[in-house]
Amino acid sequence: MSPKDDRATPPPLPEPLAVAVADSHTHLDMQSGTPAEGLARAASVGVTTVVQVGCDVPGSHWAAELAAQYEQVHAAVALHPNEAPRIYLGDPDGWSGQRRPAGGAAALDAALAEIDALAALPHVRAVGETGLDYFRTGPEGVEIQKESFRRHIEMAKRHGKALVIHDRDAHEDVIAVLLAEGAPERVVFHCYSGDAEMAKLCAEHGWYLSFAGPVTFKANQPLRDALAVTPLDRILVETDAPFLTPHPYRGRPNAPYLIPVTVRSMAATLGLHEDELSAAIAANTARAFG
């Protein structure tokens, strides 16, 4: 088998967790196989709940429909921070898979209205992933991202749903917008990427930090330092699958069944037995997503 072939091969099933946990952020619509197969594989290793996250209008409809079909699936619906500028300004390079002309404020309003309607559904547990992303969107998109973020915050508060935040290269601005708008009761920083000082600040506000595969990477000691200062009752775990596969499978396809790999790495960092960490994560996820 060539290295390239190996990168396409899904990692093996890990040893099951004795205490069941949830994958607090995944994209089953981007993974190979059917959702039923992915959920069954996850359940076989003790991952009995997943939060399926929408990034655009079609993906959010898909998440809501899946959650209506499966009791073990919670839906989160939103326009991803990179989606809002592409609706408003257009998508000439087809990054989103849809070559769209500029739609302006009217198109953004229409998309947000669809997300708002989905957010009212009982099986939709969260509004997200929303926030700010300065890695992929240039300066021309910043104010559009901030406006979309503010609208999602308002939506989460009005519907009484958790807010799931995507924060990439935008830590200070994400927190500034959250505090200026007034954060919802339940806030989750998906794929937390800040440092220990930011983790302490988030904990002071009672926000949840969800750790993904990068916390297992050897070079990411600052991220493990952030995990170490996060209160046990604020820690979540996620895959963000099919992305961010944990060590030692980095670069291969990720899926919810790999959560035990990340949980065991996190338990080692915290000096906890994996069962103790799993029990905390399960309780935290239930609280965060209602």
Side-chain angles (χ1 to χ4, degrees), residues 33 41 71 90-91 95 140 171 178 187 195 203 207 228 234 269:
R41 256 194 311 275
E71 191 179 348
D91 190 14
W95 177 85
E140 72 285 353
H171 303 323
L178 259 183
V187 173
D195 61 11
W207 301 334
R234 297 292 131 180
T269 294

Side-chain angles (χ1 to χ4, degrees), residues 8-115:
T9 304
L13 283 169
E15 282 294 312
L17 294 168
V19 177
V21 299
D23 180 350
S24 76
H25 194 111
T26 196
H27 303 284
L28 289 165
D29 50 330
M30 302 179 193
Q31 297 164 38
S32 61
T34 67
E37 290 165 345
L39 293 169
R41 256 194 311 275
S44 76
V45 295
V47 183
T48 54
T49 306
V50 306
V51 181
Q52 168 64 28
V53 180
C55 294
D56 55 15
V57 169
S60 294
H61 276 284
W62 194 91
E65 288 161 12
L66 193 73
Q69 188 178 352
Y70 292 97
E71 191 179 348
Q72 66 268 46
V73 178
H74 302 330
V77 299
L79 304 180
H80 189 285
N82 293 322
E83 174 71 357
R86 290 172 187 279
I87 291 171
Y88 195 109
L89 299 171
D91 190 14
D93 61 1
W95 177 85
S96 67
Q98 310 163 57
R99 290 186 182 274
R100 293 171 294 196
L108 184 59
D109 286 346
L112 286 166
E114 282 202 64
I115 299 298

Side-chain angles (χ1 to χ4, degrees), residues 201-243:
L201 176 67
C202 290
E204 286 170 16
H205 291 286
W207 301 334
Y208 294 89
L209 304 185
S210 184
F211 292 87
V215 80
T216 71
F217 300 165
K218 286 175 182 168
N220 277 0
Q221 187 56 44
L223 193 51
R224 287 185 286 280
D225 294 342
L227 170 62
V229 301
T230 303
L232 187 57
D233 67 353
R234 297 292 131 180
I235 294 172
L236 304 179
V237 68
E238 65 174 88
T239 56
D240 197 23
F243 315 107

